[in-house]
Amino acid sequence: MSDVLGLQDKVAIVTGAGGGIGRGIALEMARAGARVVINDIGVSLAGEGGSASPAEETKAMIEEMGGQAVISTDSVSDWESAKRIVQCALVSFGRLDVVVNNAGILRDAIFHKMDPADWRAVIDVHLNGSFYVSRAAADPFRQQMSGAFVHMTSTSGLIGNFGQANYSAAKLGIVGLSKSIALDMARFGVRSNCIAPFAWSRMTGSLQPKTPEEAERIERLKQMTPETNAPLAVFLASNAAADVSGQIFAARLNEVFLFNQTRPIRSVHKAEGWTPETLAERVLPAFKASLTPLERSGDVFAWDPV
Ligand code: NAD
């Protein structure tokens, strides 16, 4: 089989690979010939409990395909533990080429009722976890002068969503982290990109239909299986994406998106400088038509995937 992706015998860590999108990515990595570290602590959606079984199930699925995998049950959300995840790849397979930061939890609450503990827990897994695992992988990547990061962001951060201040902040933070890694590590041949995935998984599966139309819509959304995000992640991790770094993509069933990144869109200059009053008089009318509407992800992705 030709190896256009260049992933044959490479080593990939996929965090949160015990289910959902991460499992889909781990299987697709193995299909592309990579050896996989399946990292997962097997917690509930809110990050409670813990079990090695989900990771073991993914491992069995990879082995059934004839692939190679090991499991790592260390949490991404602690520096010492994240270092052990990278160590697991180096000890088990002797190298590390790809890190997919995918592990995640949700603790939704409307902002004015958000508990600081729920803020911290979500930031710790998504943003701090992505930093810890990436930072630990940066050492071998730098030494070998190659490596690829793929991080899961979300349209909840890129666009917005109700009741997800912790998650949106973490997911937009991951975009900044990815861009910084892309800039800082380009000199070592290391790339870093983000994906905003869409999937009918346990993160979205709690929607309860109230009308027959909604029930029909949910049936359509169920086609958006977690695995449909995997080809994009594997492509971005591969040599076929050698020139792609610092970018943000999305996958939604059969659609693939490239996102823009924040740049100034209007400017007004006044030689004498501004006062709050002159800003109100001159800048507001000039900018008004260009202000970004207060939209949620669902307002922007207003059509169903087909
Ligand atoms: P999921 O809940 O099915 O899977 C997440 C996995 O992460 C679980 O198996 C869980 O045990 C694991 N995990 C949680 N905390 C961990 C920790 N500290 N260390 C290691 N593993 C840990 O979720 P999913 O829907 O597959 O989401 C995967 C990623 O994609 C997440 O980062 C999520 O924010 C992102 N995402 C998902 C959607 C979607 O539509 N499902 C949309 C946007 C972004």
Side-chain angles (χ1 to χ4, degrees):
M1 197 177 68
S2 79
D3 184 28
V4 282
L5 299 176
L7 285 167
Q8 192 64 49
D9 300 324
K10 295 277 175 62
V11 177
I13 291 173
V14 183
T15 72
I21 295 168
R23 174 175 284 172
I25 295 171
L27 293 173
E28 192 73 32
M29 284 287 177
R31 232 170 261 128
R35 295 170 287 170
V36 188
V37 175
I38 300 154
N39 166 259
D40 205 301
I41 57 172
V43 285
S44 71
L45 190 53
E48 279 142 3
S51 159
S53 311
E56 274 160 4
E57 277 169 28
T58 307
K59 180 171 184 274
M61 291 165 104
I62 289 179
E63 286 173 348
E64 208 169 292
M65 290 163 36
Q68 282 185 62
V70 292
I71 69 166
S72 142
T73 52
D74 283 302
S75 173
V76 300
S77 66
D78 170 86
W79 172 227
E80 291 305 322
S81 154
K83 282 196 283 190
R84 287 196 293 273
I85 302 173
V86 168
Q87 211 46 41
C88 174
L90 299 176
V91 169
S92 308
F93 297 127
R95 59 181 297 124
L96 177 62
D97 303 281
V98 172
V99 169
V100 181
N101 281 313
N102 165 85
I105 62 168
L106 281 182
R107 300 262 181 108
D108 292 0
I110 197 95
F111 179 71
H112 41 277
K113 295 193 177 157
M114 185 165 281
D115 184 329
D118 290 341
W119 168 269
R120 232 183 343 258
V122 168
I123 299 284
D124 272 349
V125 176
H126 289 275
L127 183 56
N128 292 335
S130 296
F131 167 75
Y132 293 142
V133 179
S134 301
R135 175 62 190 84
D139 293 334
F141 282 2
R142 188 153 74 103
Q143 275 162 23
Q144 75 199 18
M145 296 290 287
S146 70
F149 291 103
V150 180
H151 318 268
M152 295 301 139
T153 181
S154 169
T155 59
S156 293
L158 295 167
I159 298 169
N161 216 352
F162 288 130
Q164 293 198 312
N166 47 4
Y167 184 69
S168 301
K171 288 306 201 188
L172 210 45
I174 287 172
V175 172
L177 171 68
S178 175
K179 178 54 90 57
S180 296
I181 296 172
L183 288 168
D184 290 354
M185 296 200 73
R187 71 193 69 180
F188 306 117
V190 173
R191 301 179 300 102
S192 179
N193 291 289
C194 286
I195 297 176
F198 283 80
W200 186 264
S201 72
R202 69 177 193 173
M203 274 205 181
T204 43
S206 57
L207 293 174
Q208 289 301 327
K210 292 189 195 75
T211 61
E213 292 72 33
E214 273 179 29
E216 201 183 301
R217 177 162 187 255
I218 285 176
E219 283 313 305
R220 275 201 307 279
L221 294 180
K222 281 184 182 167
Q223 291 173 35
M224 220 166 49
T225 57
E227 308 78 75
T228 51
N229 295 281
L232 181 59
V234 171
F235 159 69
L236 288 172
S238 79
N239 289 350
D243 298 329
V244 183
S245 195
Q247 305 302 312
I248 309 164
F249 300 86
R252 204 178 71 135
L253 190 55
N254 297 326
E255 298 164 301
V256 177
F257 303 89
L258 174 66
F259 271 76
N260 66 359
Q261 298 187 35
T262 312
R263 296 289 182 275
I265 53 166
R266 295 294 305 269
S267 79
V268 182
H269 173 264
K270 186 166 173 284
E272 320 81 79
W274 298 97
T275 64
E277 290 80 6
T278 56
L279 283 167
E281 273 163 30
R282 307 250 315 257
V283 173
L284 188 58
F287 285 179
K288 198 155 192 176
S290 307
L291 295 178
T292 305
L294 260 185
E295 290 167 328
R296 295 170 309 123
S297 173
D299 299 321
V300 173
F301 287 90
W303 70 103
D304 283 345
V306 279

